[in-house]
Amino acid sequence: MTIDLRSDTVTKPSKAMLEAMQQAKVGDDVFREDPTVNALESRVAELFGKSKALFFPSGTMANQTALKLHTNPGDQVICDQYAHIYNYESGGASFNSGISCKLINGHRGMFLGKQVLEAINPEDYYYSKTSLVAVENTTNKGGGACWDLNEILKIRAICDAHKLGYHLDGARLWNAMVAKNESPKQYGAIFDTISVCLSKGLGCPVGSVLVGNSGIMDEALRIRKIFGGNMRQAGYLAGAGLYALEHHVKRLAEDHKRAHDIGEALTKLSIIKSVEPVETNIVIFELNVDVDEKTFLNMLKSHNIYIISMGGGKLRVVTHMDYTDDMHTVFLNMLNKL
């Protein structure tokens, strides 16, 4: 038995999802003639109360398109120092849009409205123009932490007052909404653009969707083409997304419960220095200084258990739909023996 807890991106389509993919009606999406892609985009737009949505092959491309839509070269985006758009998108903000990131030292990837105010550049011409605020929910590097919706609303008011765009990197937003009993329309009413991933907790093989209203989204199709993201008979992939939205959202609570169990087990181990609070499906922990990280990871590998290093002494466990009850029992038993 191989237990892969490196990421929720390692999942494979279920038999029922594969059947939905095979039965999908397809066309040429470059001509906007793929009925299943069109249905997925309409469905996600409706969920968030937005007028437009666009299907992307990756969350990174969806985020990068949003940055391009909101900014001009030389502008600046405010984000947390843990943000995915800064740490894990290969410098795309500068490469694709010619913009820089103004980093906030938040808490577990989340920051406060007053920190946004402090980060906005003066209007003098020798400063880069602050054009956008981007938040990530849940926070990946912050251990699957969920934002306080009230703080998100405070930042919205600041964006309005200073005429700034507001983007949500919602790669794991489904997890946040399940954990906090929130709805897509609550988020759609706040943000100008939102990217949501289908290939993480929802278990699809490929795909993210960017949503927004007409105006900000009018150029999204052109930018996706420039970035090389146009696809042809993409309905086979969109069919997986439609299936996942119908069948795989509520079950995210199971992943959260297993992650909580793992977090509790880790806190009882003498070799563990600290465990971040577990809110969703990510567990981030640190080993004691006298425990070698590489040796620890190799020990897990010898038992066919795989997790990932986040750097800076942090290790990450991510639960997902392919992590079964039997796997969970094996992993917990192994941890209890350490």
Side-chain angles (χ1 to χ4, degrees), residues 3-15:
I3 301 175
D4 194 341
L5 293 167
R6 293 173 299 166
S7 176
D8 43 11
T9 60
V10 302
T11 58
K12 296 178 176 63
S14 64
K15 182 179 179 181

Side-chain angles (χ1 to χ4, degrees), residues 118-301:
E118 293 168 358
I120 297 172
N121 284 336
E123 294 185 1
D124 302 271
Y125 71 90
Y126 39 80
Y127 288 96
S128 57
K129 180 183 177 182
T130 302
S131 296
L132 175 66
V133 176
V135 306
E136 181 185 348
N137 196 18
T138 67
T139 64
N140 173 24
K141 203 171 180 181
C146 302
W147 278 72
D148 180 348
L149 199 63
N150 289 326
E151 200 64 40
I152 287 175
L153 283 165
K154 290 178 184 177
I155 297 171
R156 171 76 266 179
I158 293 168
C159 289
D160 288 342
H162 293 268
K163 298 180 181 179
L164 306 179
Y166 202 16
H167 173 64
L168 171 59
D169 174 1
R172 294 184 175 90
L173 182 59
W174 310 109
N175 295 86
M177 291 188 292
V178 167
K180 301 194 75 173
N181 194 30
E182 295 165 344
S183 71
K185 281 189 170 61
Q186 284 178 282
Y187 284 91
I190 299 171
F191 289 93
D192 299 313
T193 52
I194 302 172
S195 65
V196 288
C197 189
L198 304 172
S199 62
K200 291 185 172 70
L202 299 194
C204 296
V206 171
S208 286
V209 181
L210 181 68
V211 297
N213 286 327
S214 298
I216 188 66
M217 286 289 290
D218 287 345
E219 284 293 301
L221 186 62
R222 182 184 301 276
I223 293 171
R224 188 184 71 173
K225 170 64 175 176
I226 293 170
F227 287 169
N230 276 10
M231 297 177 285
R232 299 293 180 175
Q233 287 72 36
Y236 295 116
L237 301 174
L242 285 168
Y243 180 86
L245 290 174
E246 186 68 27
H247 300 282
H248 289 173
V249 176
K250 290 182 180 179
R251 63 146 305 281
L252 291 171
E254 300 172 21
D255 298 340
H256 301 170
K257 173 61 169 62
R258 292 181 183 132
H260 187 268
D261 292 344
I262 293 168
E264 281 198 336
L266 288 169
T267 59
K268 297 175 182 177
L269 301 181
S270 60
I271 63 171
I272 303 298
K273 177 183 177 182
S274 64
V275 181
E276 294 279 3
V278 180
E279 293 185 67
T280 51
N281 68 321
I282 300 178
V283 185
I284 288 184
F285 63 98
E286 291 186 60
L287 300 169
N288 285 334
V289 291
D290 59 344
V291 180
D292 181 70
E293 180 181 299
K294 187 175 181 181
T295 300
F296 179 78
L297 290 172
N298 285 335
M299 181 275 297
L300 292 179
K301 288 179 184 177

Side-chain angles (χ1 to χ4, degrees), residues 63-81:
N63 280 335
Q64 289 298 311
T65 296
L67 295 182
K68 190 74 173 174
L69 289 170
H70 284 285
T71 64
N72 291 306
D75 288 358
Q76 196 165 73
V77 53
I78 294 172
C79 63
D80 192 86
Q81 62 179 350

